[in-house]
Amino acid sequence: MFSKLNEVSKWVNLSDGGHIENLAGIELLRRRCKFVILGDGEADPELSFNGLATLIRYARIDLDIKIDIDVEDICLDNGETGVRGGSNFRSR
C-alpha cells in the first residue's frame, strides 16, 4: 500500500504465484524465508497436488532446495465409503 516492500523487507506480500507456479512459493523459497505457509486455491478435486508437485520440482531444479512433505493426512480415503468428498478425509 505504501510501496515500502523490497528484497530486504522483514515482510513480503505475494498476491499471485501464477507467473512461475501457482502456489507463489518459489519466491518465498528464493528469499530463504524462515517460515512458509501456502494456501492452495487450485481446482484439485482429486487431491493430486499438482501445484505442490510443480513447486517441489522447481525448487529442486532452480534453487537446489529439497522439499520433503507428507500429504498423507490430507489425502482422500476411498476405503470407507468409496465416495470422494468433504467428510471422507483420512484422520489419525
Side-chain angles (χ1 to χ4, degrees):
M1 184 167 129
F2 298 108
S3 299
K4 293 184 179 183
L5 291 176
N6 59 40
E7 65 277 357
V8 296
S9 295
K10 184 176 180 178
W11 303 100
V12 177
N13 179 19
L14 296 178
S15 62
D16 182 23
H19 305 288
I20 298 173
E21 44 79 32
N22 284 333
L23 296 180
I26 200 75
E27 290 303 320
L28 296 172
L29 295 173
R30 186 183 319 277
R31 288 174 171 84
R32 305 286 185 194
C33 292
K34 186 174 181 177
F35 299 103
V36 175
I37 299 171
L38 301 173
D40 188 356
E42 288 183 305
D44 189 11
E46 300 296 319
L47 292 179
S48 58
F49 305 103
N50 290 326
L52 180 59
T54 300
L55 172 62
I56 290 170
R57 189 177 87 238
Y58 285 164
R60 181 178 37 84
I61 293 170
D62 295 346
L63 305 175
D64 198 30
I65 294 174
K66 181 183 177 205
I67 298 174
D68 184 18
I69 185 170
D70 183 6
V71 296
E72 189 72 22
D73 288 338
I74 55 175
C75 286
L76 291 172
D77 182 4
N78 288 334
E80 294 178 21
T81 64
V83 177
R84 296 190 182 275
S87 63
N88 203 20
F89 289 98
R90 293 180 185 159
S91 61
R92 291 186 173 232

